[in-house]
Amino acid sequence: MLQVSVDLREEVDELHSFLQKVKPEDWIRETGFMQWTTWDVVAHLHYFDLMSTLALEGEEAFAPARGEFIAAITKGRSNQEIARERFAALDAEGLLGKWRNSAHALAQALGQSDPKRRLAWFGPDMGVQMFTTARYMEVWAHGQEIYDLVGASRTDTDRIKNIATIGIKIASATICSIAAPNKAITSEAKIAVVRLIASQENRDRTVAITVSESPVSASTPPKASMSSWVSSRTISTTSSTVIMPTKRPASSTTGAEMRLYCSNQ
């Protein structure tokens, strides 16, 4: 079972438990995200969990649904409108139950899949590992909108390492293009150092990304094309562990330093 699929299920359960305590009137209030209500957020998660299940079933099952969705968007329909139409018959309680069931089934199916299998999606296809991480990100990020709406505090867990993983992977190409545009790695090259810190004491409850430059050391690995290499582990002054993509931290107050060695070769 993929660890990130376990994390996904736990994140779903945590948000589900929180949503059970949300007042009925807050289900129809607009969040800070594109005027979506709490109901809209859950409908969005449910809709794309079902789409993800089709992607797991294969291109033959997924392609028609993807085509229908893209056609609706092309005609000017929004994500919000599409989900509202599909789940119009569901009240908050009914939608919440169906979302949890579909999310559990999806997490189970993803967790039992080959992590290197490629899944079709709306953009480039993704390996199962990153596909599952992306579904985790959706639950975590959209859940924050609801916490903010009702003014509730959220306690980050070690599962936030999945957000750090996505941050590193997405930022890599951009940072590398700035740090070493069109240059191969040499002993004098500069690299980008990306530090991710996730702390319970961070009132915004976000993953902070800061970028700086430092010389390549003698321990530099062989040149790599737009790739990342963990060169060191950095502990923040308030931390006792680090976020690493391949290790589960023991504390929810975490930090990590990733050095991106960039080359066009």
Side-chain angles (χ1 to χ4, degrees):
M1 181 70 71
L2 289 175
Q3 180 58 51
V4 66
S5 72
V6 176
D7 292 345
L8 172 59
R9 182 180 176 117
E10 290 179 357
E11 195 70 26
V12 166
D13 285 343
E14 184 174 292
L15 181 56
H16 177 270
S17 178
F18 173 71
L19 286 168
Q20 287 182 308
K21 303 171 187 175
V22 170
K23 298 177 182 178
E25 57 266 31
D26 288 329
W27 276 85
I28 58 175
R29 286 177 59 202
E30 293 180 352
T31 68
F33 180 76
M34 299 181 68
Q35 299 180 313
W36 285 14
T37 65
T38 298
W39 190 98
D40 289 325
V41 170
V42 179
H44 172 78
L45 294 174
H46 183 42
Y47 184 93
F48 281 99
D49 281 347
L50 297 178
M51 280 288 196
S52 299
T53 299
L54 292 177
L56 265 173
E57 291 176 8
E59 183 68 19
E60 186 175 340
F62 177 62
R66 175 177 56 190
E68 182 179 334
F69 177 82
I70 292 174
I73 293 294
T74 302
K75 292 177 181 178
R77 305 289 303 286
S78 67
N79 273 278
Q80 181 188 48
E81 290 170 331
I82 293 170
R84 282 186 176 185
E85 181 177 300
R86 181 163 181 177
F87 306 125
L90 296 175
D91 60 10
E93 183 179 0
L95 177 64
L96 184 59
K98 284 187 174 295
W99 166 63
R100 187 190 189 195
N101 290 340
S102 68
H104 278 185
L106 176 64
Q108 181 74 15
L110 288 169
Q112 294 176 339
S113 298
D114 180 351
K116 295 183 180 179
R117 177 189 168 192
R118 307 297 295 181
L119 298 179
W121 198 234
F122 292 90
D125 60 3
M126 289 185 280
V128 165
Q129 177 86 28
M130 184 47 58
F131 192 98
T132 311
T133 305
R135 293 314 303 159
Y136 175 90
M137 177 274 295
E138 286 284 317
V139 177
W140 179 83
H142 282 298
Q144 189 60 56
E145 297 152 22
I146 305 170
Y147 278 90
D148 290 342
L149 175 69
V150 301
S153 298
R154 187 180 198 177
T155 301
D156 287 324
T157 70
D158 294 341
R159 297 190 301 269
I160 204 172
K161 70 184 183 295
N162 296 297
I163 305 302
T165 297
I166 283 189
I168 284 291
K169 288 185 178 293
I170 292 178
S172 298
T174 300
I175 294 170
C176 283
S177 68
I178 295 172
N182 302 317
K183 293 181 180 179
I185 293 299
T186 68
S187 60
E188 301 300 321
K190 295 288 186 177
I191 60 172
V193 178
V194 181
R195 179 169 297 167
L196 303 179
I197 300 296
S199 173
Q200 288 179 316
E201 297 171 3
N202 180 348
R203 294 186 179 183
D204 292 329
R205 299 175 301 282
T206 58
V207 179
I209 301 178
T210 58
V211 181
S212 60
E213 289 187 347
S214 65
V216 172
S217 68
S219 61
T220 302
K223 22 182 212 184
S225 177
M226 304 302 285
S227 63
S228 62
W229 179 66
V230 181
S231 62
S232 63
R233 301 181 183 182
T234 300
I235 310 299
S236 70
T237 56
T238 59
S239 172
S240 59
T241 69
V242 296
I243 290 179
M244 301 296 285
T246 56
K247 284 206 170 190
R248 185 175 183 82
S251 166
S252 58
T253 302
T254 55
E257 181 173 279
M258 301 284 284
R259 295 190 179 191
L260 307 177
Y261 291 83
C262 314
S263 170
N264 64 339
Q265 299 183 5

